[in-house]
Amino acid sequence: TALTPSGTTQTVDFDNGNFQRLGLGSASGNVTLTLSNPKTAARYRIAITQGATARTLVWPAAVKWANGQAPILSTVNGEIDVVELYYDGTNYFGDWDVAYA
């Protein structure tokens, strides 16, 4: 089941699995994420599906990206972007691929 924010916030609870789906079609604006219940040394994936109105994500400060660049999400309705996170007990280290169709 995909997470579907109805406003501008969404919690991703990793107790519900290491692979989560996030559909942005129901969001009313850009979405601020909260990541909860990570396990040290675990890898997580979030597949993000863009809606008819393109939305961006605001990631927690504990998520670190290569060169400081957070994902630039696809803007086309139905396109899927995949974010992979590694949690070291303090921070998440993220990588991303975009525009799966």
Side-chain angles (χ1 to χ4, degrees), residues 26-81:
S26 62
S28 62
N30 295 334
V31 176
T32 299
L33 292 178
T34 299
L35 305 176
S36 66
N37 298 311
K39 309 291 184 272
T40 299
R43 291 190 180 277
Y44 300 101
R45 284 193 178 147
I46 304 171
I48 303 146
T49 304
Q50 199 56 260
T53 301
R55 306 293 186 198
T56 61
L57 296 176
V58 178
W59 295 88
V63 180
K64 309 300 180 192
W65 305 101
N67 298 313
Q69 178 62 59
I72 300 168
L73 300 179
S74 300
T75 58
V76 175
N77 186 25
E79 281 193 335
I80 300 169
D81 305 317

Side-chain angles (χ1 to χ4, degrees), residues 82-95:
V82 177
V83 171
E84 184 167 348
L85 301 171
Y86 169 77
Y87 185 67
D88 72 352
T90 302
N91 292 301
Y92 298 87
F93 295 90
D95 193 15

